[in-house]
Amino acid sequence: MTTYAHTIPNASAVADALSILQRLRQHCSSLPAAVVLLTLAQTTEFAEGECTTALSTYEIANAASMTPAAVQRGINALREAGLIARHQQIKQKGCVALTLITPKGLDILRPSALGATALPAGLLSDLVGEPLSVMEACARAWKEGLVPDPTLLQDFRGPSDAYERVMGALRANTEQAQEMLMAAVDEAQMMADAEEQGRVVVPLSDGSILELNAAEFAAQAPCPVDLRFIRETLLLVMARGRQLDAPMAKRLAAEAGYSRAVGFVRGHAWEAGSRVLASVMSRVTWSRPRSIRQAWYTAVESCSAVLGGQLSTGASVSVH
């Protein structure tokens, strides 16, 4: 009788692999991409402080028992998702390309405090071949909007022009982060000023501002609703990726008011109700609630103004 020995992975290894695949699926659902990423991870010397490996397409194919064409599809999918960067130092036959597993890719393999930090392709290209410590320092600086201490990049291996490009990109990102922070502070202050005057303002996707007059809305709405709840919901809808211009924002404002007053989130706590409503409204399948009265749309239309580019400091002018 012949006995066959099978190597069965332990439960922990299986759970780790499933977790990786679940995280990968959020960014890339390609099966060849999953196999290529796991193959690259297996051949990258993370324990030695590396995050780049030198493998040709054919070497990956042999290691993963795939065709070169399938490997290339996997590489393309991983690149598009920002999970790897691939660079050939010398553009000639026989020179193996280097493959960097990016911070975003590393977060799929093993979640870290850096999270799925996405770096621009140009910066990643200059980081191919750099040690893990350098890439992590750059990713942390990019995420925090800061210029890293040069000592953190003292192990940079590339040429001086590549180092200058990396530092230049990080400095530009820092300047942009500071500008965004100042803009956010200014916007928050202007929104607070408007609220003190009985107005609620919502910055829209196209750069315009939807302004709602609380007193006028209260006078015409079928039921009382706090306009701040409507604003929070619209902001969450846009944060989820749905683009809102003034007509769509006014329509959703009416439907959010109805849903809060008598609809399906009337019994929810403020924050939970806003999140649930925004989650549903951000889908393309969202449509006008069946039982909503035209009075909700009329109330929003009568109290609204659409401003271009900046918040109004004067009285609201209704737009009909």
Side-chain angles (χ1 to χ4, degrees):
M1 179 177 177
T2 304
T3 302
Y4 295 94
H6 298 278
T7 302
I8 302 176
N10 59 41
S12 177
V14 172
D16 286 346
L18 285 174
S19 296
I20 290 172
L21 292 175
Q22 288 168 350
R23 290 191 292 270
L24 176 63
R25 192 176 177 186
Q26 299 174 14
H27 306 280
C28 176
S29 59
S30 163
L31 180 58
V35 177
V36 170
L37 181 62
L38 291 172
T39 302
L40 292 170
Q42 192 174 29
T43 55
T44 302
E45 301 292 342
F46 297 118
E48 302 299 323
E50 300 296 337
C51 52
T52 299
T53 188
L55 284 179
S56 68
T57 301
Y58 291 98
E59 287 173 322
I60 297 173
N62 289 333
S65 298
M66 299 169 65
T67 64
V71 169
Q72 192 59 56
R73 287 196 297 273
I75 288 174
N76 292 342
L78 292 172
R79 269 177 154 172
E80 290 175 8
L83 306 181
I84 66 169
R86 197 161 161 86
H87 181 64
Q88 190 175 13
Q89 303 286 8
I90 303 175
K91 302 292 184 180
Q92 67 181 38
K93 187 175 181 180
C95 180
V96 177
L98 300 177
T99 306
L100 168 79
I101 300 181
T102 69
K104 193 174 177 181
L106 290 174
D107 189 64
I108 288 174
L109 298 171
R110 187 69 62 187
S112 68
L114 284 175
T117 303
L119 300 177
L123 179 54
L124 287 172
S125 178
D126 282 320
L127 291 177
V128 173
E130 296 301 328
L132 181 59
S133 60
V134 168
M135 189 185 70
E136 287 181 335
C138 291
R140 186 172 295 105
W142 187 271
K143 182 179 181 181
E144 296 175 352
L146 301 172
V147 178
D149 186 325
T151 60
L152 298 176
L153 305 184
Q154 61 185 358
D155 294 327
F156 195 91
R157 298 166 176 163
S160 59
D161 59 337
Y163 177 85
E164 290 303 324
R165 284 195 299 270
V166 167
M167 291 300 291
L170 295 175
R171 281 192 290 269
N173 179 65
T174 299
E175 292 173 1
Q176 184 178 25
Q178 290 174 343
E179 290 173 0
M180 290 177 65
L181 176 61
M182 293 304 298
V185 170
D186 291 342
E187 184 176 276
Q189 184 60 56
M190 287 188 287
M191 291 174 73
D193 292 343
E195 197 168 307
E196 286 183 1
Q197 300 170 19
R199 296 176 288 122
V200 168
V201 292
V202 186
L204 302 179
S205 306
D206 60 3
S208 63
I209 301 290
L210 175 64
E211 179 182 277
L212 303 172
N213 185 294
E216 291 183 21
F217 179 78
Q220 298 204 38
C223 300
V225 178
D226 192 330
L227 284 177
R228 293 174 299 174
F229 177 88
I230 294 176
R231 176 180 63 196
E232 182 67 19
T233 301
L234 294 181
L235 292 175
L236 287 174
V237 167
M238 288 183 283
R240 286 175 168 269
R242 183 165 186 178
Q243 301 293 303
L244 297 185
D245 57 12
M248 180 59 69
K250 286 193 283 186
R251 189 200 116 187
L252 293 185
E255 293 165 2
Y258 164 82
S259 299
R260 180 59 175 170
V262 296
F264 73 104
V265 295
R266 64 185 180 280
H268 287 64
W270 176 297
E271 186 175 342
S274 184
R275 285 202 313 270
V276 170
L277 185 55
S279 175
V280 177
M281 282 186 157
S282 62
R283 302 172 189 168
V284 294
T285 53
W286 171 264
S287 60
R288 173 184 174 129
R290 287 184 181 178
S291 302
I292 190 171
R293 294 166 52 191
Q294 183 60 35
W296 285 102
Y297 298 101
T298 302
V300 170
E301 190 68 39
S302 66
C303 78
S304 65
V306 180
L307 311 172
Q310 60 183 2
L311 300 178
S312 169
T313 57
S316 174
V317 179
S318 297
V319 177
H320 301 286

